[in-house]
């Protein structure tokens, strides 16, 4: 029951390239295929539940048994962000970096400060039903429409009120809640597409769309969460058949992943790669749908420059043209830049006094992956 992950715009980074002091051309680095099928990301977790991608591109996840929210770092390590919660479930990250978490045991949403990690109440919901409390939350509604106009609901958060069968739109400060839908069995997750349609996963067997009236979009076995990809496809994890269903914008099934051990949470990264929890066996998995970046390789030359060799791993069948970008500054000069090919990862030579450099690989439209590269001493 995941909050739909934040969609980051593909960075538009301008830079100039100065001639190499050596005069020798830079060779493109090789690429390797991405692993096919599910790939283990984290194991040995007590009870991983929901997922959300943060503004820092880290994957946040809740654990209802441990009562914690943690983050997966780029190096594969896990950092505990906050603890002491009563059955933390859904997660969404606001535009200011605050992490909102649905605390099912207390039927409220709490906010975690991104710097101090302090936990405070954001909004409490009444529950006189005797049923389990609030489950998934999110998404954060966009601030602009397709034409760039300000939206009055920008920054509001969609909160499915699981025990009461209704859906709320709550202001960013958590102070004002407006009911926008009702009549559901147990709404547990929500997402929004680029047209402003709100999708709600209902464990009663339906995926609803609010456009703005409530309409059944698909019938599925115990939907538990929903996210929308950058290309407009909808992903729904279903506990009734232990699967994740991919639907197109009209509700037709495109693909399905089966055999998952209770997929309680799902998320998409900025390149539309799919992450999901397997609650029963305490792990988080990933399916590479487009491309990923493995750790880059760095070499320092005798003339004091750095050659950065990215490692792009493409999914089978993903042949989109990709571009390698980074930023230049008073402390960083780009000496040579070789763009990736369909079977290569590109390369970069820089002269800098900075301890690290951020590179971005994107298709120039929807998909992007960024990586901070530590430079050799």
């Amino acid at each position: 029951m995941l909050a739909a992950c934040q969609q980051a715009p593909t960075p538009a980074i301008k830079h100039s390239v100065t001639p190499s002091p050596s005069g020798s051309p830079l060779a493109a680095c090789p690429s390797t295929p991405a692993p096919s099928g599910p790939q283990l990301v984290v194991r040995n977790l007590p009870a991983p539940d929901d997922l959300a991608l943060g503004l820092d591109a880290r994957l946040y996840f809740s654990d209802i048994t441990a009562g914690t929210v943690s983050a997966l770092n780029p190096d594969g390590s896990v950092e505990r962000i906050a603890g002491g919660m009563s059955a933390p479930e859904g997660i969404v990250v606001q535009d200011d970096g605050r992490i909102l978490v649905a605390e099912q045991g207390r039927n409220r949403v709490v906010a975690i400060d991104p710097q101090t990690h302090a936990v405070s109440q954001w909004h409490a919901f009444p529950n006189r039903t005797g049923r389990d409390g609030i489950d998934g939350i999110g998404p954060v509604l966009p601030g602009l429409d397709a034409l760039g106009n300000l939206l009055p609901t920008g920054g509001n958060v969609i909160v499915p009120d699981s025990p009461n069968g209704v859906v709320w739109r709550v202001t960013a400060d958590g102070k004002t809640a407006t009911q926008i839908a009702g009549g559901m069995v147990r709404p547990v997750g929500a997402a929004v597409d680029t047209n402003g349609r709100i999708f709600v996963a209902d464990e009663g067997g339906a995926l609803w769309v609010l456009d703005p009236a409530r309409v059944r979009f698909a019938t599925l076995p115990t939907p538990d969460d929903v996210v929308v990809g950058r290309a407009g496809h909808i992903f729904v994890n279903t506990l009734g058949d232990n699967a994740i269903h991919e639907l197109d914008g009209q509700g037709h099934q495109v693909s399905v992943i089966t055999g998952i051990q209770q997929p309680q949470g799902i998320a998409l990264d900025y390149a539309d790669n799919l992450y999901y929890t397997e609650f029963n066996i305490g792990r988080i998995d990933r399916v590479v749908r487009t491309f990923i970046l493995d750790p880059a390789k760095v070499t320092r030359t005798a003339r004091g420059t750095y050659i950065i060799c990215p490692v792009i791993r493409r999914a089978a069948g993903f042949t989109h043209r990709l571009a390698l970008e980074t930023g230049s500054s008073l402390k960083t000069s780009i000496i040579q830049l070789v763009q990736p090919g369909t079977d290569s990862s590109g390369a970069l030579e820089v002269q800098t006094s900075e301890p690290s450099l951020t590179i971005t690989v994107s298709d120039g439209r929807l998909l992007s992956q960024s990586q901070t590269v530590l430079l050799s001493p």
Side-chain angles (χ1 to χ4, degrees):
M1 297 78 25
L2 153 81
C5 62
Q6 302 283 321
Q7 294 198 9
T10 301
I13 305 172
K14 297 182 180 180
H15 49 71
S16 58
V17 179
T18 57
S20 169
S22 67
S24 59
L26 196 62
C29 305
S31 66
T32 55
S36 59
Q39 176 188 20
L40 175 65
V41 175
V42 186
R43 66 174 66 184
N44 299 326
L45 300 172
D49 201 281
D50 283 337
L51 300 171
L53 195 71
L55 303 182
D56 54 6
R58 293 196 298 173
L59 187 71
Y60 291 87
F61 61 92
S62 60
D63 192 300
I64 65 169
T65 296
T68 58
V69 170
S70 303
L72 176 64
N73 294 316
D75 62 2
S77 63
V78 172
E79 176 188 355
R80 196 179 93 160
I81 304 299
M85 285 177 272
S86 178
E89 291 262 3
I91 309 174
V92 69
V93 180
Q94 293 184 290
D95 295 340
D96 61 1
R98 285 196 305 172
I99 305 159
L100 302 183
V101 182
E103 197 176 11
Q104 187 173 83
R106 298 185 176 102
N107 205 55
R108 65 176 186 170
V109 176
V110 297
I112 303 174
D113 184 279
Q115 278 76 46
T116 67
H117 296 176
V119 179
S120 60
Q121 180 167 293
W122 183 75
H123 193 94
F125 296 85
N127 178 11
R128 302 178 184 90
T129 66
R131 305 186 188 101
D132 286 343
I134 199 167
D135 206 308
I137 57 171
V140 176
L141 296 180
L144 303 175
D145 64 15
L147 300 177
N149 300 312
L150 286 173
L151 293 170
T153 58
N156 285 198
V157 182
I158 301 301
V159 180
D161 187 340
S162 307
N164 293 299
V166 302
V167 178
W168 302 93
R169 187 183 69 241
V170 187
T171 52
D173 58 10
K175 293 181 178 179
T176 305
T178 303
Q179 183 176 325
I180 60 172
M184 302 179 193
V185 176
R186 184 172 170 82
V188 288
V192 63
D193 69 6
T194 55
N195 296 317
R197 297 187 300 174
I198 296 171
F199 296 88
V200 180
D202 183 348
E203 286 187 346
L207 177 65
W208 305 103
V209 61
L210 311 182
D211 190 25
R214 177 172 60 89
V215 176
R216 183 181 292 264
F217 188 76
T219 298
L220 295 165
T222 319
D224 191 64
D225 205 352
V226 54
V227 294
V228 178
R230 281 147 188 78
H233 282 193
I234 299 103
F235 297 80
V236 187
N237 56 326
T238 46
L239 302 181
D241 58 356
N242 287 313
I244 298 175
H245 298 259
E246 178 183 358
L247 311 174
D248 65 17
Q250 289 73 48
H252 304 124
Q253 183 160 286
V254 176
S255 67
V256 61
I257 303 172
T258 59
I260 306 171
Q261 297 296 307
Q262 287 288 281
Q264 292 280 343
I266 53 175
L268 294 167
D269 68 14
Y270 297 138
D272 264 0
N273 298 308
L274 178 68
Y275 292 78
Y276 59 88
T277 59
E278 292 197 83
F279 183 85
N280 285 358
I281 55 176
R283 56 187 272 173
I284 299 174
D285 301 298
R286 174 179 67 184
V287 174
V288 180
R289 303 179 62 252
T290 57
F291 71 97
I292 57 172
L293 297 181
D294 277 0
K297 301 173 183 177
V298 180
T299 304
R300 186 168 186 177
T301 69
R303 57 188 177 275
T305 64
Y306 296 93
I307 295 177
I308 299 172
C309 188
V311 181
I312 300 173
R313 304 188 71 184
R314 292 173 176 261
F318 181 76
T319 58
H320 291 201
R321 182 178 178 179
L322 297 175
L324 170 65
E325 299 177 304
T326 190
S328 60
S329 67
L330 293 176
K331 294 183 178 181
T332 302
S333 298
I334 301 167
I335 308 301
Q336 295 186 83
L337 176 61
V338 178
Q339 292 295 344
T342 55
D343 59 353
S344 66
S345 295
L348 181 67
E349 182 181 4
V350 300
Q351 189 166 39
T352 183
S353 58
E354 299 283 2
S356 64
L357 192 72
T358 299
I359 61 173
T360 297
V361 176
S362 75
D363 68 351
R365 296 176 53 254
L366 300 173
L367 310 175
S368 69
Q369 294 275 272
S370 294
Q371 182 182 81
T372 298
V373 180
L374 298 177
L375 302 176
S376 309

